[in-house]
Amino acid sequence: MGNQEIKLSTRADKWLCAVRFFKTRSQAAKACDGGKIRKKGGEALKASTSVKVGDVLLVPAYEGRCLREIHVLKIIDKRVGAPEAQICYEDKTPAEIIEKAREEMREIRQNRQELGLGGRMSKRDRRVWEK
């Protein structure tokens, strides 16, 4: 194992970035401080909150508007490749919730293509769509 020390906890923003839920630590910190990341039971996390093995986090999914239930299995604070990152957590989100969110995203993309709005939504289009 070399001189790797086993960590018992780390900051929430570091862990979320290290296991690839966010591309950057600042995005993870912004999500934490914005109340998007919660511990199971309702407590919102701040970026500096400690994450320990056994914690259950509710993290927004990029597939759509649902929350993923993530069980922390291993603590890391340096970003690693996807295969190593995936052994640090277990996703307990029911498959039907994820599939429903993916289906919603497919419908949105399909509707945009039918309307001739290919590509990314403009800020104005997004505001109209959300209303």
Side-chain angles (χ1 to χ4, degrees), residues 10-129:
T10 190
R11 290 173 55 105
D13 59 342
K14 275 187 170 184
W15 188 82
L16 289 165
C17 179
V19 295
R20 304 174 148 281
F21 282 107
F22 296 94
K23 288 185 179 181
T24 64
R25 184 172 163 192
S26 63
Q27 286 176 341
K30 190 180 284 187
C32 287
D33 293 337
K36 305 268 191 261
I37 312 296
R38 300 186 166 279
K39 275 192 178 177
K40 184 115 183 193
E43 176 190 343
L45 294 183
K46 294 290 182 192
S48 61
T49 303
S50 291
V51 173
K52 302 179 292 295
V53 172
D55 285 349
V56 179
L57 306 178
L58 300 174
V59 179
Y62 63 87
E63 291 96 357
R65 298 177 179 171
C66 71
L67 291 176
R68 297 188 105 154
E69 186 176 313
I70 305 300
H71 293 247
V72 178
L73 300 178
K74 183 178 176 185
I75 299 298
I76 60 173
D77 58 2
K78 299 281 189 214
R79 194 168 173 89
V80 294
E84 295 100 50
Q86 289 173 346
I87 63 170
C88 296
Y89 66 88
E90 186 175 7
D91 190 349
K92 293 283 194 170
T93 311
E96 57 271 4
I97 291 176
I98 294 173
E99 189 53 43
K100 182 180 175 192
R102 285 183 180 152
E103 186 60 37
E104 287 175 6
M105 290 303 289
R106 274 189 223 113
E107 287 176 19
I108 290 168
R109 281 191 212 106
Q110 188 175 11
N111 290 340
R112 289 186 51 72
Q113 286 176 350
E114 289 171 1
L115 294 172
L117 300 172
R120 188 174 167 178
M121 278 191 204
S122 69
K123 191 173 182 179
R124 180 179 176 273
D125 291 339
R126 185 170 302 283
R127 270 190 254 120
V128 169
W129 176 75

